[in-house]
Amino acid sequence: MPTVVLMDASLSMTRPVSLEQCSEELQRKNLAVAGLTMLFEHMANNYRLEFTSLVAFSSLWELLVPFTRDYNTLQEALNNLEDYDKTCLEAALHGVSNVVQQEWGHACPTQVVLVTDGSLGIGKGSLRHSLQTLKGRPEDKKFPLPFPFPAKLFIMCIANAEELQMTDTMHNLEQLLQLNGGDGQIFTMEGQLCLKSVQVMFGCVCQPRSFRPTLHVYFSGWKLNLKLVETTQAPGPFSGT
């Protein structure tokens, strides 16, 4: 099963982690990169034949690395990720859909890993606005979920649950899962925002019960996409378990 990693590269990801929460001066982006480095190492060691792609986004999206088995290329693109502007998740999800369909068509089960700080964006391009305007759209303006192919959506939040629940962020992210048929999971950091807590969170998604071979990774930020896919066999029937 291929994997797409969707990485948030918007300005909100450059927010520093509080010195009370971390002994080092880190941005949320640094924590995201550390978590994805752990995920890439896990896949390289355990799912060497799987294909993965990396996509970055903010107000626009960009495919940084097409589907590949070369995790060094993925890591290099991740390390060189630039910062862009505001967050637009709807555009990013359209990008994921395009990348997967061009490579695999409509029948291949796929895993999508969205890494973000939970910021919904502002104004017309925000996730909040997108979800409020789902009904009555013309066919060419339809929201990209559910994906036109079988897909699990994993949302990795560089934030803790308490922070997300102070606003309607968690509710909006849960709506994304519902729109995709409920197949996926939201992961948040526990306690302080630091390297240890992000490693614990990504360790959870690496568990066999959560994560399967073939993963797609996207980062949120302006014009940034990375694609990585690894496949051990021809795609079989997709299971929602």
Side-chain angles (χ1 to χ4, degrees), residues 16 45 81 97 134 139 149 164 221 226 236:
N45 291 331
L81 184 68
S97 183
L134 289 176
E139 192 62 34
F149 44 84
L164 298 176
L226 171 62

Side-chain angles (χ1 to χ4, degrees), residues 151-172:
K152 286 190 174 185
L153 176 61
F154 297 99
I155 303 176
M156 313 300 294
C157 294
I158 309 301
N160 57 44
E162 292 77 10
E163 179 183 357
L164 298 176
Q165 290 168 353
M166 292 175 64
T167 64
D168 60 348
T169 296
M170 184 64 78
H171 173 69
N172 283 275

